[in-house]
Structure formats: C-alpha cells, structure tokens
Amino acid sequence: MYSAAFTAPAFNWLCSPACTELETIVLDWLCKLLHLPESYLSTSATGGGGVIQGSASEAIVTVMIAARERFIKQYKDPIALNGHPPKASTEQKEHEEWRLKTRLVALGSEMSHSSTEKAARITGVNYQSISVNATDEFALTGRGLKEALSDLTRSGWEPFYLTVTLGTTSTCAVDKFKEIAEVKKEYPNLWIHVDAAYAGAALLLDEYQVLAEGFAAFDSFNFNMHKWLLTNFDASCLFLPRREPLISALTITPSYLQNKYSTSGLVTDYRDWQIPLGRRFRALKIWFVLRSYGVNGLKEHVTRHIELGKKFTNWVRDEGKDLFELVATPRFALTVLRVKIREEVTSGLSGSAHVNGKNKTETKINEGFASEFFVPEDDDERTAETDMLSQANAVTKEVYEAINAAGEIFLTGTMIKGVYAIRIVSANEQTDEAHLRKAFEILVKTTKNILRIRNQMEPAP
C-alpha cells in the first residue's frame, strides 16, 4: 500500500532519488544475507550490483539480451572475419551481424523453467535443452554441459547463454555449479545465469551456503522475494558481478531523459537495468519485510517450512508406502510423488500383472526416490513397462485432478522423464503441521477411493 501510494515513476535517479537509493541499499543487504560473492554488491570493485525485476522470467529475458549483445561485441569486426575488407559498409556489417545472430544458441537443461525457452524466442535466438538423468538427480552436470557445447560448436552454432538452476520447478534439483564453473573456463564468453527463483531463499541458512560454490564465476543470479520470503508480488531480485554489459545493452538516452546527474555517472538509473522505462517503488516493501522480520525471523520461517516438508515426506514413506512412491529426492520443503502401481493393480488395469515375476515400475525406485527410469531392451518387456508407466501416470493424474476439483487444497502436477507426478509444497507463513496433515489425509483418501473405483482396493474407511 505504501509503495502504491508514492506512485513514483522511478525510472531514473533524478525523478525518484529515494526509490533508487533504497533499492541499492536493500539489494546489498540481501546480497550479504544470501552470502553471494562480494562481486555482486553495488560497492564491488568489479562494478556489480542488484536490481528489482518483476519476475524471474523477466530477469532471464533481460540478462539474455545483455548476453547476446556482449557475445556479438567480441566480434569487433564481423565483416573482416568473413573475408570482407575492414572498411566495409555499414550495410555489410549489419548483414554479417544478423548472420551471426542466426547462429546464436541459448541453453538450459530439460528441467530448466520454460522461461528460458520463451526468452530465446523473444530475443530472436535459437534454444536447445540439455538432457539430464535420474542418476544425477535431474541436475545439469559439467560433463553434460561440455558435451552439449562441443556438439554445438562442431556443428557451427554459437552457444552464448546458459540458465543453471538452484531448485528446478519439477523437482527442486540443484545443478552442479562447481562442475559448470570449471567448464566455463573453456568458454569464457558463455553467459551463465543462476535461476534460484524459489529455492534461493534457502541460502539464508548456513547449511545451504555450500550450494553457492561456483557463483563467483557466473554472470547473474536471481531469486524471488515474493516466493518464499514473505513479500508481496512482485519482488524479483537480480544480481550481477558486472553491471556494464547489462547497461551497455539496454541504455538509450533520448534528449528528454538527459540530465546532469545521469551524465555525471555518479548516480544509478535503473531504467538502464531493465526492459521497461518506468518502475514501481518495490524496494520499500522489501525494506519493510527485512526490518519487520529481521534476519533471524526469515531464517526461522524458511527452516520451519523445510522441517514441515520433511514431515510430509516421512508420512509418505511410512504411512503412505503402500500407496505412493517418491519420484525425486525431497528438497526445500518440496515432496514429489506418484501413485504406486502394484502387481495386482497392474493386472486388473492392463491385463498383464508383471514381467518375469517382477514389477518393473517399482524397480525404478531405490532408497525412496527415483534412481533411473528403466527402459527394457526386450520388446515384450518394453511393452509391459510402457503399459505400467501409462497406468501409473493415468491414476496419478486422476488423483491430482480429483483433489483440485474438490477445491479443499490445491496441488500441482508435472512430467518428469515421462513420469507424471504430484508436487506438494507450501511457503505460506500461516501453514502449519495441521494443514499439511490434512493435505496428506486428503491425498490418501482420494487415492484409495480412485483405486477402489478401479476395483483394486477395499472401500476406504
């Protein structure tokens, strides 16, 4: 309410000094709270700093533009590289620059948020996803990245941008940042952006700070205050160790925006850090949250939700072990599960109980979470396996849709390497154990009822 009441345009320092200065201050506070590298501070020797964007998707589009322009600038004379004389015409240079743009490729793992692919469309570049494996817990590895980069460059493409993720949408997987940082040494012009929209808040806690190893080698980092840190939408915080590539890509200064303060270079004009011109006084609500809860209050909030998530996971593993199986390692209060299809269930649903006396669907789950999704070599086994997977997906999706249709709680579904799964997480301040317990009971009851209707279980009590 306070932010809206000020109704400040805030696009440059001159028209809204307080908006600008407070944004710089609170983002430096957050940088320190999250234990990000010092280069991300506004006072760093590298010229880093932070800016509040509208969403993580907006942040990705913004830095992808900066990455594209930085990459193109490495070709100081594209014409000369293509056999043209150094003093080629402006038209020739523009033509060669556009040819280069057609070869640019933005990358993300197949578990990256769809916003990276959308950003590639918006910026007019190609997009390619990199496959990940259940054996790596769905994380992008240095090995996988290097293979993808090598394949692309051999084929004449120019990989210029990569989104890595701390807490993927489907499973909250964490990419192998240290390995990826090593690969970047061989590809110094590759812009690497860390998308930590939800799980980045966990960096507040000492036990999660190890996840940030490698960030100093990357080009940008983003997380959303409005997802887990008690701030109203929108408050997406973007940090860069070097602001120059971003400002260089986005700065356009017509006569009506010129003023002596901006020209002096002594003030920050956040209009040059984003796609829109105008902006809201979003720093104020972050200031209120930080001052109201304090560091310890925010840490307690995140810790409490992680502990609640562990309780839910334990209920699934213990009380729900005959009904559910985990599809991914539980992380950051997120539990990802599917309905377990037992041999007798599969027999009734598909007409064939199992293959060689063993339930192939269940062999995929080791130590309580997915280790690898089995693909049989034998045609008969592959047919039975596919049928079982199809049935498990159908039942899981039916449970998901039935619960959401009832309207008492709301769940989200996802597809992971062909497996349909249900995601359970809550970052609401008011959520307590009773709420999650109720959600678990609804999940169990709904699942039993659906399986009973399929004539596989006794009536639920």
Side-chain angles (χ1 to χ4, degrees):
M1 290 190 298
Y2 283 105
S3 296
F6 279 100
T7 188
F11 52 80
N12 64 11
W13 183 91
L14 177 61
C15 69
S16 307
C19 298
T20 301
E21 299 293 344
L22 187 61
E23 183 159 339
T24 301
I25 290 169
V26 298
L27 285 170
D28 278 351
W29 287 355
L30 286 170
C31 183
K32 294 175 181 178
L33 290 178
L34 298 177
H35 303 89
L36 297 178
E38 291 187 3
S39 58
Y40 287 74
L41 291 168
S42 67
T43 55
S44 70
T46 58
V51 58
I52 304 174
Q53 303 281 345
S55 67
S57 299
E58 184 180 329
I60 287 175
V61 175
T62 303
V63 298
M64 192 177 290
I65 293 171
R68 183 191 66 190
E69 297 308 302
R70 188 185 73 174
F71 190 88
I72 290 172
K73 279 186 177 181
Q74 73 171 315
Y75 293 85
K76 294 182 180 179
D77 193 343
I79 300 296
L81 290 178
N82 287 277
H84 294 279
K87 293 184 179 180
S89 68
T90 300
E91 184 178 348
Q92 285 178 308
K93 290 181 178 180
E94 289 178 351
H95 176 70
E96 291 300 330
E97 185 172 307
W98 277 109
R99 287 185 60 186
L100 172 61
K101 286 181 178 179
T102 64
R103 302 198 307 273
L104 296 181
V105 182
L107 300 168
S109 87
E110 63 179 301
M111 292 295 162
S112 296
H113 192 272
S114 59
S115 54
T116 298
E117 184 175 0
K118 179 180 282 189
R121 293 185 186 181
I122 293 170
T123 56
V125 299
N126 302 285
Y127 175 76
Q128 180 166 313
S129 65
I130 304 172
S131 180
V132 296
N133 300 308
T135 48
D136 296 315
E137 297 186 331
F138 307 111
L140 177 63
T141 64
R143 179 187 67 257
L145 173 60
K146 189 170 183 178
E147 289 176 359
L149 292 172
S150 297
D151 290 344
L152 286 167
T153 53
R154 279 198 304 268
S155 300
W157 297 100
E158 300 285 358
F160 76 103
Y161 171 92
L162 168 70
T163 292
V164 295
T165 311
L166 196 168
T168 58
T169 303
S170 289
T171 68
C172 264
V174 178
D175 291 340
K176 307 297 185 182
F177 301 130
K178 288 181 66 177
E179 296 178 13
I180 293 168
E182 287 298 312
V183 174
K184 182 174 169 59
K185 293 178 181 179
E186 300 178 39
Y187 297 86
N189 294 313
L190 179 69
W191 185 296
I192 298 182
H193 172 71
V194 182
D195 177 10
Y198 165 69
L203 294 176
L204 284 169
L205 307 180
D206 294 342
E207 58 268 34
Y208 288 103
Q209 289 166 26
V210 65
L211 298 179
E213 293 183 5
F215 284 6
F218 300 156
D219 300 279
S220 51
F221 169 92
N222 172 256
F223 91 109
N224 292 340
M225 283 284 289
H226 59 249
K227 278 204 167 120
W228 203 356
L229 287 186
L230 304 166
T231 306
N232 292 341
F233 186 86
D234 52 355
S236 187
C237 303
L238 172 65
F239 298 90
L240 304 99
R242 289 165 295 279
R243 67 182 73 179
E244 189 279 330
L246 181 64
I247 294 174
S248 175
L250 297 177
T251 297
I252 298 177
T253 308
S255 59
Y256 48 81
L257 291 177
Q258 294 175 8
N259 63 85
K260 65 178 182 179
Y261 301 102
S262 297
T263 304
S264 73
L266 299 177
V267 299
T268 297
D269 287 343
Y270 279 121
R271 67 181 179 85
D272 299 328
W273 297 52
Q274 61 177 26
I275 295 172
L277 176 64
R279 56 205 325 274
R280 293 179 295 281
F281 195 179
R282 291 176 288 212
L284 187 59
K285 58 187 173 185
I286 295 178
W287 182 86
F288 272 119
V289 169
L290 294 176
R291 297 290 291 176
S292 298
Y293 289 90
V295 177
N296 290 335
L298 293 175
K299 285 183 175 181
E300 290 171 4
H301 168 72
V302 173
T303 299
R304 187 172 68 85
H305 277 279
I306 291 174
E307 292 304 315
L308 286 174
K310 290 178 180 177
K311 287 186 177 182
F312 192 95
T313 298
N314 288 335
W315 295 335
V316 172
R317 282 175 167 156
D318 298 335
E319 300 174 47
K321 61 183 178 181
D322 293 330
L323 290 173
F324 311 111
E325 54 192 0
L326 301 179
V327 178
T329 305
R331 286 193 183 93
F332 308 116
L334 174 69
T335 301
V336 186
L337 57 83
R338 69 171 177 173
V339 177
K340 181 183 290 188
I341 300 298
R342 297 177 300 169
E343 292 181 3
E344 60 268 28
V345 174
T346 309
S347 178
L349 291 175
S350 64
S352 60
H354 49 279
V355 181
N356 295 333
K358 192 172 184 179
N359 184 327
K360 293 295 182 180
T361 302
E362 292 186 1
T363 63
K364 299 175 186 176
I365 310 299
N366 294 324
E367 302 300 329
F369 60 90
S371 61
E372 185 60 84
F373 295 114
F374 174 71
V375 179
E377 295 181 0
D378 181 83
D379 288 341
D380 292 335
E381 289 191 10
R382 186 181 298 112
T383 300
E385 169 67 12
T386 301
D387 184 64
M388 293 183 70
L389 177 59
S390 176
Q391 295 299 336
N393 286 349
V395 174
T396 303
K397 188 173 184 179
E398 187 175 351
V399 169
Y400 157 76
E401 292 177 343
I403 290 174
N404 283 354
E408 193 168 357
I409 61 173
F410 185 78
L411 306 176
T412 55
T414 188
M415 287 291 292
I416 306 168
K417 306 291 278 188
V419 174
Y420 192 89
I422 293 173
R423 302 168 66 254
I424 298 97
V425 67
S426 176
N428 189 292
E429 183 183 14
Q430 303 301 318
T431 301
D432 57 25
E433 184 175 341
H435 293 112
L436 280 181
R437 184 66 198 182
K438 180 65 174 178
F440 177 73
E441 292 170 354
I442 290 172
L443 183 62
V444 169
K445 183 177 180 180
T446 303
T447 302
K448 286 184 176 181
N449 285 339
I450 287 174
L451 291 175
R452 176 178 57 83
I453 290 172
R454 290 171 175 258
N455 298 317
Q456 305 306 321
M457 295 187 67
E458 293 298 323

